[in-house]
Amino acid sequence: MIQSPAAPAAPALPLDTALATGPDSAHAGSAPSVAHGPCAEPTRVLARFEDWARNTPQAPAVIDGKRIWTYQDLDAAAALVAADLADRVRPGDLVGVCLDRSTALVVTAVALARLGAVYLPLGPRPGERRIQAVTEDLDVACLIGDPGVLPEEHRGGQHFPLPLPTAGVNAPAVAVAAVADSVRGTRRAPEGALYAVLTSGSTGRPKAVAVAESSLSVALDWYRSETGLAPGDRQSLLIGVAFDPHLLELWAALTSGAALVPAPDDTRWDSRVLTDWWRDTALTHAVAATPTVEPLLDRPWPQDLKLRHLVVGGDRMRRRPGADVSATVHNAYGPAEATVVTTTHTMRGTDPEAGDRTPPPIGTALPGVTLVVTDEEGRPVARGQEGELRVGGHCLALGYLDPQLTARRFTAPAPDAELPAVERLYRTGDRVRMNTDGSLDFLGRLDDQVKISGVRIEPAEVEAAFEQDPRVRAAVVTVLRDSSGHGRLVAHVRPTDGAEPAAGDLLDAVRSWLPEQAVPTAVRIVDGFPLDANGKVDRPALAAQAQAPQSPLAAASGDPAEAAAGTGTDVDAAVTAAERLVLTTVRDLLGRPDTGLGDHFTDAGGTSVVAARLLATVERETGVRLRAPELLRSTDLRAFAALLDQRLTARPEGA
C-alpha cells in the first residue's frame, strides 16, 4: 500500500551540530550530511483561495489578454463547472486535463479541487501513445479539453459540454469532458491526493506520482513568504501544463490574492519575446525553466521590468546572474516526488559573487524538508563527501500510483541514521555534496557514471573541467560505443559569445584537470543542446549529433553537396544559402541528420528551446530577426527559409 504522508519534520538543528550516526557513516568529529529546514505545518490550499474570493471579490484573479477575471468571476465559473461534473466525477477520481495555460485551465483546477477529484495535467495536445499508456494503467474518469485535440479514443467517446472560458490566451475553441468507451485502467490515486503528475519511466511508460494538498501547501507557504507575493502583484503562468511547477505558479497566486497572467505560446519560443511579455504585463513574479533563462543572463538585463522575483529550475544552472539583474533569482531544485521545490539558493545583483561563471549551489532545505546525503546503504555520509540525496518531510508525495514502485523509491531511513521524526525518505538518484552550511552542490545523476578502459568516469566531472575555461559557456559529455561495446567520450562544447576555441586547444586545457581515461577523444563545437520534453539536455539526441556534420554554419556558406554529405538524405543542388542555413542548423540542434526541407519544424521534433536557438542562429548569421510564430506557421522548413530569403532581399545594401 502507499504509505501515508511523512510525519512533521524534526525541528531545525544547528548546522554545525554533529548528529550521532552509525560508526561507518561519518568521520569522528564531522557533522553528518543531514539538514532540516525550518519547522512548517501544513495549511489549506482551496480554502485560502475561497477566503480571497469572499474577502476581495473584485480583485483581479486572472489577467488574460485584455480580459480581467476577478476572484468573484473565477469563483462563480468554477462553481458552474463543478456542478456540471458532479454527476460524472466522484471524490478521488483522476481527471485528465488537456488544456493549455489559460483561464479555462485555472477554472478547471479550482473546480476539480472543490469536487475532491484529482487533477492530472496532460498538456494541451497529449500524444496518442502516451494517453493510451496512461488510460490503460490508470483509472481516469474523463479527459477535459477541446475534442479536436483529444486522442482518437476519446474523440469517439461520450462528450459532455463544459462552461469553460473559450476566449483569451491559449483558450480552447470548445471544452468538453470526454469519456472513452474502452475499459479503464485499475490504478486509482491514493486517498487525500490533490493532483497527480506523470514522470518518465525507465520502462518507457510514464509513471504517475500523487501529491496531497498538505504537501503543496507547505511549498506555497514558503513561496509567499520568500517572495512577498501579495494582492496587487502579478504572477506568471508560464511553465508547460504537463509539468508540476505550473501548479506552484497557479496556486501561489490564487492563495495570495494576486493575479495570474497566462503566457502566450510564443513566449516559450523566443527569450526576447519572453522579456517583452514580462515588461508589457508588468509581471512582478515569474517561474521559468533554467534553459529559458540562461540566455537572458548572457546579455544586458532589461532595466525597465517590474519583475522582483524569478524562480528557475529544471536543469543545472551554469552561472550566476550578473550585477545588472534587478530581480532576485532563486535557483530551485525539486523532483515531482517532493512537491515541485525542495531546496533553493537565492541570488541578487548585489551579491559579491554576482556574475561569476561558476554553477551556484542548489541551496538549502525549504521549511518542513529534511535532506540526507547517504552512502549505498542509506547511511548519512560526512559533510563534504559525495552521496545520494534522499528527501523527507512534509514535502513528500503520497507516492506513485504503482505501490511496488512506491515501496522501492520511498523507503524508511536506515536504522542508525537517527531521524526519529522522519518516517520516509525519497531516493532521488541525484549525486550531491552537502557543504558545512547545509547547502547542496549538485554533481549529477548516479546512473550517469560510465566505465572507460576499466575506470569509472562521471561525465559531470569532465563537463566541469571544460567549463573552467573562460572560452566555454557550457559543456555536455556523452558516450559513443562501437559494435563491441567499447566506449569513448565526446565533449559537446558551447563557446562563450565571441570565442572561437579550437577543439585541440580545449583538450589540452582539460588534461591538467582529468585522469587520462577521462579526457574525451573528440570535441564538438555546438551552438546549443537539444532538450527533452522536461527541458533537460537530451543526451541520446546529443550523442546522435556526433554522427552528423560538425558545423551547420560552415555548411551554410559552403557547397550544397558538402552540406548534404553524410546526412542520409539528399539536398537539392539548387538550395539557397538560407535553405542550407536553416536545414543544417535544425539537423544539428535536433540531432536528426535525416531532417529534410519538406519537414515541418515541430513534426521533426522541434521544441520551444530549439526554436529559440534556431532563431538566434539565423539572426546572428544573417542579421534578420524572425519570430517564433513565423516559424510555426510555415508549412515546412523550405517555406521558412523562403521567408528568410525574402527578408534578406528586402534589406537595403549594407544594412
Side-chain angles (χ1 to χ4, degrees), residues 147 150-159 178-181:
L150 293 179
E152 181 178 357
E153 191 175 28
H154 285 79
R155 287 199 298 271
Q158 293 179 288
H159 291 174
V179 179
D181 294 330

Side-chain angles (χ1 to χ4, degrees), residues 18 21-32 381-383 385:
T21 58
D24 298 327
S25 62
H27 297 301
S30 297
V381 300
R383 294 198 181 186
Q385 293 185 353

Side-chain angles (χ1 to χ4, degrees), residues 16 106 116 134 139 214 221 247 354 379 422 445 459 489 574 595 632:
D16 57 354
V106 181
V134 169
D139 184 7
S214 59
D221 290 346
L247 285 148
R379 297 171 300 183
V422 178
R445 290 286 300 171
L489 298 179
T595 303
L632 301 179

Side-chain angles (χ1 to χ4, degrees), residues 41-63:
E41 289 295 332
T43 56
R44 301 299 301 273
V45 174
L46 179 63
R48 286 187 67 97
F49 160 74
E50 292 175 334
D51 286 344
W52 287 112
R54 183 169 51 253
N55 297 327
T56 60
Q58 298 308 313
V62 182
I63 300 175

Side-chain angles (χ1 to χ4, degrees), residues 10-19 31-32 34-37 383 434-438:
L13 300 176
L15 293 176
D16 57 354
T17 300
L19 300 179
V34 177
H36 303 282
R383 294 198 181 186
M434 184 175 288
N435 301 308
T436 56
D437 64 353

